[in-house]
Coordinates of all heavy atoms in Angstrom, one line a residue:
W317 N -18.4 -47.6 -39.6 CA -19.5 -47.1 -39.0 C -20.8 -46.9 -39.9 O -21.8 -47.6 -39.7 CB -19.2 -45.7 -38.3 CG -20.3 -45.1 -37.6 CD1 -20.9 -43.8 -37.8 CD2 -21.1 -45.6 -36.5 NE1 -21.9 -43.6 -37.0 CE2 -22.0 -44.6 -36.1 CE3 -21.0 -46.8 -35.8 CZ2 -23.0 -44.8 -35.1 CZ3 -21.9 -47.0 -34.8 CH2 -22.9 -46.0 -34.4
D347 N -15.5 -50.0 -36.3 CA -16.0 -48.9 -35.4 C -16.7 -49.6 -34.3 O -16.6 -50.8 -33.9 CB -16.9 -48.0 -36.3 CG -16.9 -46.6 -35.7 OD1 -17.6 -46.4 -34.7 OD2 -16.3 -45.7 -36.3
D348 N -17.6 -48.8 -33.7 CA -18.4 -49.2 -32.4 C -19.1 -50.5 -32.6 O -19.5 -50.9 -33.7 CB -19.4 -48.0 -32.2 CG -19.9 -48.0 -30.8 OD1 -19.6 -48.9 -30.1 OD2 -20.6 -47.0 -30.5
W395 N -12.0 -49.0 -33.0 CA -12.7 -47.9 -32.3 C -12.7 -48.1 -30.8 O -13.0 -49.2 -30.2 CB -14.2 -47.8 -32.8 CG -15.0 -46.7 -32.3 CD1 -15.2 -45.5 -32.8 CD2 -15.8 -46.7 -31.1 NE1 -16.1 -44.7 -32.0 CE2 -16.5 -45.5 -30.9 CE3 -16.1 -47.7 -30.0 CZ2 -17.4 -45.2 -29.9 CZ3 -17.1 -47.4 -29.0 CH2 -17.6 -46.1 -29.0
R427 N -25.4 -39.6 -23.9 CA -25.8 -40.4 -25.1 C -26.4 -41.8 -24.6 O -25.9 -42.4 -23.7 CB -24.5 -40.6 -25.9 CG -24.8 -41.3 -27.2 CD -23.5 -41.7 -28.0 NE -23.8 -42.1 -29.3 CZ -23.1 -42.8 -30.1 NH1 -21.8 -43.1 -29.6 NH2 -23.4 -43.3 -31.2
K463 N -9.3 -45.4 -33.4 CA -10.2 -44.2 -33.5 C -10.6 -44.0 -32.1 O -11.3 -44.7 -31.4 CB -11.4 -44.6 -34.4 CG -12.5 -43.5 -34.4 CD -13.5 -43.8 -35.5 CE -14.7 -42.9 -35.4 NZ -15.7 -43.1 -36.5
D465 N -12.7 -42.0 -29.6 CA -13.9 -41.2 -29.6 C -14.2 -40.6 -28.2 O -13.7 -41.0 -27.2 CB -15.1 -42.1 -30.1 CG -16.1 -41.4 -30.9 OD1 -16.2 -40.1 -30.8 OD2 -16.8 -42.0 -31.7
N467 N -17.9 -39.1 -26.8 CA -19.3 -38.8 -27.2 C -20.2 -38.2 -26.1 O -21.4 -38.3 -26.2 CB -20.0 -40.0 -27.8 CG -19.4 -40.4 -29.2 OD1 -19.2 -39.5 -30.0 ND2 -19.1 -41.6 -29.4
C513 N -11.6 -38.4 -32.5 CA -13.0 -38.2 -33.0 C -13.7 -37.9 -31.7 O -13.4 -38.3 -30.6 CB -13.6 -39.6 -33.5 SG -15.2 -39.5 -34.0
S515 N -17.8 -37.3 -31.3 CA -19.1 -37.1 -31.9 C -18.8 -36.3 -33.2 O -19.4 -35.3 -33.4 CB -20.0 -36.4 -31.0 OG -20.1 -36.9 -29.7
G516 N -18.0 -36.8 -34.0 CA -17.5 -36.1 -35.2 C -16.4 -35.1 -34.8 O -15.4 -35.5 -34.3
W532 N -11.6 -36.6 -37.0 CA -12.8 -36.8 -37.8 C -13.5 -35.4 -37.9 O -13.9 -34.9 -37.0 CB -13.6 -37.9 -37.2 CG -14.9 -38.3 -37.9 CD1 -16.1 -38.6 -37.4 CD2 -15.0 -38.6 -39.3 NE1 -16.9 -39.1 -38.3 CE2 -16.3 -39.1 -39.5 CE3 -14.1 -38.5 -40.4 CZ2 -16.8 -39.4 -40.8 CZ3 -14.6 -38.9 -41.7 CH2 -15.9 -39.3 -41.9
D535 N -19.5 -35.9 -38.2 CA -20.3 -37.1 -38.4 C -21.2 -36.9 -39.7 O -21.8 -37.8 -40.1 CB -21.2 -37.3 -37.2 CG -20.5 -38.2 -36.2 OD1 -19.5 -38.8 -36.5 OD2 -21.0 -38.3 -35.1
Ligands
LIG1 C1 -19.5 -41.1 -32.8 C2 -18.5 -41.0 -34.0 C3 -18.9 -41.8 -35.1 C4 -19.0 -43.2 -34.6 C5 -20.0 -43.3 -33.5 C6 -20.0 -44.7 -32.9 O1 -20.7 -40.5 -33.1 O2 -18.4 -39.6 -34.4 O3 -18.0 -41.7 -36.2 O4 -17.8 -43.7 -34.3 O5 -19.6 -42.4 -32.4 O6 -20.9 -44.8 -31.8

Side-chain angles (χ1 to χ4, degrees):
W317 181 241
D347 208 288
D348 201 351
W395 181 93
R427 186 183 186 201
K463 175 171 174 176
D465 214 333
N467 287 316
C513 178
S515 307
W532 184 220
D535 273 348

